[in-house]
Amino acid sequence: PLVSMKEMLEKGKDNGYAVGQFNLNNLEYAQAILQAAEEEKSPVILGVSEGAGKYMGGFNVVVSMVEALMESYGTTVPVAIHLDHGSSFEKCAQAIHAGFTSVMIDGSHHPIEENIEVTKKVVELAHIHGVSVEAEVGTVGGEEDGVIGGINYADLNECKSLVQETGVDCLAPALGSVHGEYQGEPNLGFKEMEEILNAVNVPLVLHGGTGIPTKDIQKAISLGTAKINVNTENQLAQAKTVRKVLEEKPNLYDPRKYLGPGTEAIKQTVIGKMREFGSSNQA
Ligand code: G3H
Ligand code: ZN
């Protein structure tokens, strides 16, 4: 069933595993991720950025597509459709009214007072609809939907005020992670993560899940991280496979013959992440 993230993240936090957010880019991603979740008996979060939502034809199209697939597959595991890096109250409201079950309001590029103000407004609307809310403090490095940013570590007191004043369901404190591929090893602020967890007591979210070594994933989970976002790694797996098939068979033109193997590559990548995050068999 389609549900908010609230319960799945609290269960993850209490039982020492994280639920993966896997981003949708088109139909094939929705197919691969829903199939992986059902096979693994894992809760799952389908992340939709504003850019990807637009690419797929709008938030309503995304919700209809996911609902229809879930019905066709007979999906039994909990699934959340989540707006990833929502840029404004209006975009979050649009997603909520289209039927998203969860939204992220990313006010991290604004001063903390403004971040708190917009997050609070989103929480008020979202909670009326039973929709969960994620907020971000500090900034994730790398590129997201064409916007390139630097790394800024989340400030403990800002995290505390934001959670207390807004009532968000989970918090993404940026602590050195990067969107896209890492240049070398990531350097995550685990000491800060622990302090933030103790101060806020809501499930934490780790962005930029691509390329983080297993030991760091495990450490983050042990420090209250109950949601890990992965996008680039699925895209790399898909592109690599499609490229290989087209190179091997230059006369191939039926999309089912080259996209099909790409979809299988996404599915296997997602299954690997679910096992690594410990969410398999938790649905
Ligand atoms: O919000 C989405 C993510 O943080 C994805 O990051 O593309 O590095 O896996 P990634
Ligand atoms: Zn992100």
Side-chain angles (χ1 to χ4, degrees):
L2 266 189
V3 295
S4 88
M5 305 194 303
K6 191 171 174 63
E7 198 183 304
M8 55 171 102
L9 297 192
E10 267 159 18
K11 271 166 98 174
K13 178 172 176 275
D14 291 347
N15 295 290
Y17 63 88
V19 181
Q21 174 196 302
F22 303 101
N23 284 53
L24 301 186
N25 293 281
N26 61 19
L27 170 70
E28 279 79 2
Y29 281 78
Q31 293 174 319
I33 298 161
L34 286 173
Q35 285 174 6
E38 194 63 29
E39 275 183 36
E40 286 299 299
K41 293 275 158 266
S42 169
V44 73
I45 298 156
L46 307 176
V48 181
S49 70
E50 290 174 8
K54 199 169 163 199
Y55 176 81
M56 288 183 272
F59 292 155
N60 290 302
V61 173
V62 175
V63 173
S64 299
M65 172 179 76
V66 170
E67 282 177 343
L69 281 176
M70 286 174 67
E71 197 182 320
S72 153
Y73 292 161
T75 303
T76 61
V77 298
V79 177
I81 308 184
H82 175 76
L83 176 64
D84 190 28
H85 293 281
S87 62
S88 65
F89 171 79
E90 288 72 23
K91 290 284 179 197
C92 292
Q94 251 181 49
I96 292 167
H97 293 138
F100 278 48
T101 57
S102 188
V103 292
M104 173 185 190
I105 172 68
D106 183 355
S108 66
H109 300 280
H110 302 296
I112 189 66
E113 297 76 26
E114 283 174 41
N115 189 353
I116 291 176
E117 195 185 307
V118 68
T119 301
K120 204 170 166 177
K121 243 176 103 179
V122 171
V123 170
E124 277 167 15
L125 176 71
H127 284 182
I128 295 174
H129 293 270
V131 166
S132 50
V133 181
E134 170 184 343
E136 177 171 323
V137 174
T139 55
V140 176
E143 189 196 311
E144 177 88 18
D145 266 357
V147 185
I148 299 178
I151 299 177
N152 280 302
Y153 278 61
D155 175 83
L156 175 64
N157 289 315
E158 293 187 0
C159 290
K160 233 194 233 174
S161 322
L162 183 131
V163 171
Q164 267 170 12
E165 291 176 37
T166 65
V168 279
D169 301 287
C170 58
L171 176 72
L175 293 171
S177 65
V178 164
H179 288 134
E181 293 180 276
Y182 287 85
Q183 323 278 46
E185 287 253 308
N187 188 12
L188 300 180
F190 289 118
K191 192 174 75 74
E192 292 87 346
M193 199 181 285
E194 186 165 16
E195 287 166 1
I196 292 168
L197 174 71
N198 291 332
V200 302
N201 209 34
V202 293
L204 302 182
V205 180
L206 180 59
H207 280 252
T210 297
I212 297 180
T214 303
K215 63 166 180 20
D216 285 0
I217 293 287
Q218 286 168 348
K219 179 99 182 146
I221 292 173
S222 77
L223 297 174
T225 297
K227 173 176 182 274
I228 302 175
N229 292 5
V230 178
N231 184 24
T232 304
E233 203 156 323
N234 287 327
Q235 297 183 339
L236 289 169
Q238 181 198 36
K240 190 177 162 199
T241 301
V242 172
R243 204 173 278 126
K244 186 163 170 267
V245 173
L246 289 174
E247 271 167 11
E248 281 171 6
K249 299 182 182 146
N251 296 323
L252 200 66
Y253 55 85
D254 180 346
R256 291 171 293 181
K257 301 251 162 66
Y258 58 87
L259 289 181
T263 308
E264 185 57 29
I266 299 170
K267 184 177 160 187
Q268 292 311 322
T269 305
V270 171
I271 288 176
K273 292 292 163 193
M274 287 171 164
R275 293 182 185 170
E276 186 184 8
F277 300 166
S279 69
S280 294
N281 298 312
Q282 299 287 353

